[in-house]
Amino acid sequence: MDTIDIDKLGSLSPFELQAYLISAASGKGKQLMLNAGRGNPNFLATLPRHGFFLLGKFALDEAERSFSYMPEGVGGMPEREGIEERFEIFVYHNRQKRGVRFLRNCVSYVRDHLGLSAGDFIHEMTQGILGCMYPMPDRMLTLSEKIVAAYIRREIVGDAQSFCGTFDMFAVEGGTAAISYLFATLKENRLLVPGDAIGIGMPIFTPYLEIPELADFQLREVAVNATPENNWQYCPQELDKLLDPAVKAFFLVNPSNPPSVKISDEGLKQIASIVAKRPDLLILTDDVYGTFADDFRSLFAICPENSILVYSFSKYFGATGWRLGVIATHENCVMDKMIAKLPEKTLKELDTRYASITTDPRHLKFIDRLVADSRTVALNHTAGLSTPAQVQMVLFSLFSLMDEEQTYKRAMKRIIRRRRAALYADLPVAPPTDANDVEYYHLMDMEVIGRQMYEPEFIAWLLKRLKPNEFLFALAEKANVVLLPSSGFGGPAHPSARVSLANLKEVDYIRIGKAFRCLLDGYHEEWKTHKPV
């Protein structure tokens, strides 16, 4: 720790600070480093991947039906005519292979439950997995959008009676691309301009804190704080900040990151009442962890016309390397209405911006502006997520839709909940209980845990004794454990750490809990040695 200036590192993003923590933890004896920093899960959905790779074999067979007379390994485009029958023959000849029943069930579900053409579906998937055509439509493949929309409707919208109508989706390169694209298009279309205030639901995934401050945007952040004293819920006084007409938008992650707590029904109702009074309030809700929650309800379901939904397939399906995500907006979204009300001078500037892609820029939807802006407008004709990635997204969606008993979801919840229990196995305190806690991440707060183990005088001394992030470097150096600071996510400034419950083995979390306790015990011994008699 002597070679690291902890004070200078205080301004770094938690994900950049992690590199220094890893360095501090590396090469310290023979003990394996435990990195519970990033939330990359070590579990993944295998059946839809079996289906993906088997579908790739069928697609290659289809491609090789054309140009088969050429010995150089040349194939052609899959033909729509007769593809359903050829698929049935393929299924029969591969009936012993893992994943073939899944593919057959996908076709049946699409045809019998969603009412889509089985032949069109097989052809779209076959052509898509080969990656032999530009994405068309560029926003999302036609049947793929309908299928993924069915998944989003079940997992994110649910049976919310407040949601009427349909929504549009843009398939993107994960949640990170969604965030980048949205900030850019909100700026380009003057829905957010330099100097505007935006509410930020704190704590939050750090890019939502860092991007508004960039010179590109120059937005003023208004913290809407969820606090540990309120079980990480937004209290009414904090949400009332959104009643200020100067606050143009509210950006949040639900369930939150890092507390991993979903917004309570009371909180959702208050936000809905605020939107009723503020029909111009934009909401960006990032719901990547929603599928780990019990009885999840999104703001996209509660305030659909005002909300922009960001959803990533990365965590639930173990697909961070795939970069799969969607942006969804309601067919009657308030963004379109706000653009239509912009001053004529601004509308003419936007007409010029989008003139190369439409003869009627005034009626270009916000979500289609997102697509164009993602490729700097001029490259709109080559926009869109890669088609093989869209195929995998569709197979993930169908895998979940067909799992009516939700056995996969229950397994995912069981994994992370057992890991949290393991985290406390060697601590003389019980883990906190909260029906709204999703538990993908867990905050280990030295003050909260310490108050249950030691004298109040010791805790007061400890909070003064520790510099920001000092205890994280102590954990890294002494126990080879890497955690991230919760303060870097807009959380409280006192010593607490985000533990990802997704990326290590259950036994590893026992070791992390033990290391946390040993560190506290060490500070306690130091206090007993130096305290006044």
Side-chain angles (χ1 to χ4, degrees):
M1 204 184 306
D2 295 338
T3 60
I4 299 175
D5 189 333
I6 296 175
D7 294 331
K8 285 187 176 180
L9 300 179
S11 62
L12 289 180
S13 159
F15 300 103
E16 304 306 324
L17 180 68
Q18 180 179 224
Y20 291 90
L21 292 167
I22 290 173
S23 176
S26 299
K28 304 294 181 183
K30 297 181 179 179
Q31 195 174 33
L32 181 69
M33 179 180 69
L34 298 180
N35 185 352
R38 294 192 71 176
N40 195 119
N42 63 352
F43 46 77
L44 54 90
T46 58
L47 188 55
R49 285 174 166 90
H50 276 289
F52 180 87
F53 290 113
L54 193 58
L55 179 63
K57 175 64 171 65
F58 172 73
L60 283 172
D61 290 348
E62 285 294 292
E64 289 176 343
R65 292 180 68 248
S66 302
F67 302 105
S68 59
Y69 63 89
M70 298 181 66
E72 294 86 359
V74 178
M77 301 294 180
E79 295 181 2
R80 167 64 180 85
E81 185 178 355
I83 197 169
E84 192 171 353
E85 291 76 14
R86 294 192 298 276
F87 178 78
E88 289 297 331
I89 294 171
F90 175 83
V91 165
Y92 176 78
H93 286 300
N94 291 273
R95 58 189 179 277
Q96 302 300 324
K97 293 182 179 177
R98 183 94 189 272
V100 73
R101 178 179 293 183
F102 169 73
L103 287 178
R104 185 187 63 188
N105 291 348
C106 285
V107 173
S108 174
Y109 187 90
V110 164
R111 178 187 61 229
D112 303 331
H113 191 84
L114 299 181
L116 305 174
S117 165
D120 289 348
F121 168 69
I122 296 168
H123 186 249
E124 182 171 296
M125 294 295 99
T126 302
Q127 185 168 274
I129 203 168
L130 289 170
C132 57
M133 294 287 290
Y134 288 112
M136 186 59 64
D138 46 18
R139 184 154 57 79
M140 197 166 184
L141 300 179
T142 303
L143 298 185
S144 298
E145 182 174 7
K146 295 179 186 296
I147 295 164
V148 177
Y151 169 75
I152 293 296
R153 184 172 285 277
R154 190 176 85 170
E155 295 293 342
I156 304 300
V157 176
D159 58 358
Q161 296 181 358
S162 56
F163 196 103
C164 298
T166 61
F167 52 90
D168 302 310
M169 289 195 304
F170 176 23
V172 295
E173 302 88 342
T176 51
I179 296 167
S180 297
Y181 295 161
L182 282 165
F183 269 100
T185 294
L186 289 169
K187 173 191 173 184
E188 291 293 347
N189 288 273
R190 317 306 198 271
L191 297 179
L192 291 177
V193 298
D196 276 351
I198 59 171
I200 305 288
M202 303 279 201
I204 197 168
F205 184 44
T206 54
Y208 288 110
L209 298 173
E210 297 163 356
I211 293 174
E213 297 175 348
L214 296 175
D216 307 51
F217 303 102
Q218 302 176 52
L219 299 172
R220 182 166 59 88
E221 297 176 7
V222 176
V224 179
N225 295 301
T227 61
E229 295 79 15
N230 197 37
N231 293 322
W232 296 108
Q233 297 293 332
Y234 305 113
C235 69
Q237 294 81 1
E238 288 294 312
L239 287 175
D240 280 346
K241 294 176 181 178
L242 303 176
L243 289 169
D244 183 352
V247 178
K248 304 296 185 184
F250 181 36
F251 289 11
L252 71 155
V253 175
N254 181 33
S256 55
N257 181 0
S260 277
V261 174
K262 69 176 184 178
I263 300 176
S264 66
D265 289 343
E266 293 76 14
L268 292 172
K269 288 176 183 177
Q270 185 180 354
I271 295 171
S273 69
I274 289 170
V275 169
K277 299 172 186 175
R278 290 278 323 273
D280 60 338
L281 181 67
L282 298 178
I283 296 173
L284 193 163
T285 180
D286 186 333
D287 294 355
V288 61
Y289 304 105
T291 37
F292 291 93
D294 293 330
D295 303 319
F296 178 68
R297 300 179 74 198
S298 170
L299 279 171
F300 187 60
I302 305 301
C303 311
E305 296 186 10
N306 289 70
S307 297
I308 304 169
L309 170 69
V310 170
Y311 179 76
S312 168
F313 289 73
S314 61
K315 304 299 195 299
Y316 188 53
F317 297 99
T320 52
W322 260 114
R323 318 309 294 151
L324 303 178
V326 290
I327 300 170
T329 59
H330 193 272
E331 60 182 341
N332 297 319
C333 69
V334 72
M335 290 76 73
D336 290 336
K337 298 171 186 176
M338 293 173 69
I339 290 171
K341 292 179 181 179
L342 290 170
E344 182 64 22
K345 180 177 181 293
T346 303
L347 287 172
K348 286 182 177 178
E349 292 174 358
L350 294 175
D351 289 347
T352 301
R353 177 175 179 82
Y354 299 110
S356 64
I357 64 172
T358 177
T359 58
D360 188 14
R362 298 281 170 107
H363 291 93
L364 187 66
K365 285 185 171 184
F366 172 78
I367 199 160
D368 292 315
R369 294 168 189 247
L370 269 170
V371 178
D373 293 334
S374 74
R375 297 298 183 267
T376 326
V377 182
L379 292 165
N380 181 72
H381 61 288
T382 58
L385 180 65
S386 77
T387 58
Q390 292 194 50
V391 170
Q392 183 67 90
M393 189 188 298
V394 167
L395 295 180
F396 283 147
S397 297
L398 287 169
F399 170 65
S400 180
L401 285 166
M402 293 189 296
D403 184 12
E404 295 185 353
E405 301 299 320
Q406 298 196 326
T407 55
Y408 179 79
K409 177 177 285 190
R410 290 202 303 270
M412 295 303 98
K413 292 178 181 178
R414 185 170 65 249
I415 287 172
I416 58 176
R417 290 171 184 180
R418 286 180 58 170
R419 289 174 179 178
R420 194 181 79 144
L423 187 64
Y424 280 80
D426 202 70
L427 285 167
V429 299
T433 57
D434 181 357
N436 294 310
D437 192 347
V438 178
E439 301 176 4
Y440 192 90
Y441 300 113
H442 182 66
L443 286 181
M444 297 197 76
D445 190 314
M446 274 199 161
E447 180 179 2
V448 172
I449 295 175
R451 287 191 185 282
Q452 299 176 69
M453 296 173 58
Y454 308 105
E455 305 90 334
E457 297 81 5
F458 162 66
I459 298 303
W461 172 87
L462 182 65
L463 295 177
K464 292 180 181 179
R465 155 77 172 74
L466 291 178
K467 297 180 180 179
N469 302 328
E470 182 179 351
F471 84 104
L472 294 176
F473 281 95
L475 275 174
E477 289 202 326
K478 296 176 181 179
N480 290 30
V481 169
V482 175
L483 308 178
L484 295 188
S486 66
S487 58
F489 296 83
H494 61 279
S496 60
R498 187 188 84 164
V499 184
S500 168
L501 298 175
N503 64 330
L504 295 172
K505 297 176 183 178
E506 192 171 314
V507 67
D508 295 330
Y509 291 99
I510 297 175
R511 187 179 136 196
I512 291 174
K514 185 178 293 186
F516 199 87
R517 178 180 181 175
C518 287
L519 186 64
L520 273 172
D521 286 344
Y523 287 132
H524 189 246
E525 288 299 316
E526 180 184 344
W527 172 74
K528 288 196 299 183
T529 302
H530 295 92
K531 73 174 181 176
V533 178

